[in-house]
Amino acid sequence: MLYAAPLDAAAVLMINPATNTTDTLQLSGLGSQRGKWRELAYAPTVNRLFASPFNADSVLIVHLGQNQTNTATISGFGPNQSKWSAIAYDPITDLLATSPHNANAVLTVDFAVDTRVLAPQREIAALTNQVARVAAEQATVSIAFAAASQRHATTEAALLSTQSAVVAALSRQTALEAAAAAA
């Protein structure tokens, strides 16, 4: 399953590449504010997605196992616009970091305890570069995953087509054998 952050939408977009379907009903009710959350990052240790607050007052948390969203736990960022943009998971520290867009600090999320820490100004450049690098790596993985999913769907469709042809041929052979036996 692939997920897209609700920048202007009221729901997280869920994409199933295997069935070529989308769903905006399961993770909905996120309001009509524009520019809420820009990007998502997956934290595998807690099986959750986190979205950085661009114009929203909170970090969006998507509980994947429960198909639920949470905007109350990590909140209080105020009404400022264009706060943070990119978000990335750091497997070394097991933290999430978001790069500042107009904010004056990097936002680091310790999701193990659902807290936030604003990094001192001197750490912004290093963390921003790290976030950008990890985000680029995640984008590459997402593209590779999508391509693999498409190849899988194409292969599955070809197998189903071949299976249908074999079943049709066997049915014709059975009918011919039955006609020959009756004659």
Side-chain angles (χ1 to χ4, degrees):
M1 193 70 70
L2 301 173
Y3 298 84
L7 182 63
D8 294 329
V12 173
L13 173 63
M14 298 170 62
I15 305 166
N16 186 335
T19 61
N20 202 26
T21 58
T22 61
D23 182 344
T24 57
L25 298 176
Q26 290 188 49
L27 300 172
S28 61
L30 298 174
S32 60
Q33 177 186 7
R34 296 190 52 78
K36 295 180 288 290
W37 299 280
R38 284 189 60 162
E39 298 187 17
L40 292 168
Y42 177 64
T45 56
V46 292
N47 194 34
R48 296 182 195 162
L49 293 170
F50 293 81
S52 58
F54 192 64
N55 291 340
D57 180 50
S58 63
V59 171
L60 172 64
I61 304 170
V62 179
H63 300 267
L64 294 176
Q66 303 162 0
N67 270 350
Q68 294 177 343
T69 60
N70 175 337
T71 60
T73 302
I74 305 174
S75 61
F77 297 110
N80 297 343
Q81 302 292 296
S82 307
K83 295 180 282 285
W84 293 279
S85 55
I87 185 168
Y89 169 71
D90 181 2
I92 296 169
T93 62
D94 203 31
L95 297 173
L96 291 158
T98 66
S99 61
H101 191 81
N102 285 335
N104 60 5
V106 170
L107 172 64
T108 304
V109 178
D110 184 349
F111 50 80
V113 292
D114 287 331
T115 59
R116 62 188 171 123
V117 176
L118 297 175
Q121 186 69 29
R122 68 182 182 280
E123 296 177 20
I124 288 177
L127 289 173
T128 299
N129 289 338
Q130 183 178 3
V131 166
R133 187 179 67 253
V134 172
E137 290 170 4
Q138 286 177 338
T140 301
V141 169
S142 294
I143 290 168
F145 177 77
S149 294
Q150 182 62 41
R151 285 192 305 273
H152 172 75
T154 302
T155 302
E156 187 174 0
L159 287 173
L160 288 173
S161 177
T162 302
Q163 182 182 17
S164 295
V166 168
V167 168
L170 288 174
S171 295
R172 283 191 302 274
Q173 181 180 356
T174 302
L176 288 173
E177 289 173 356

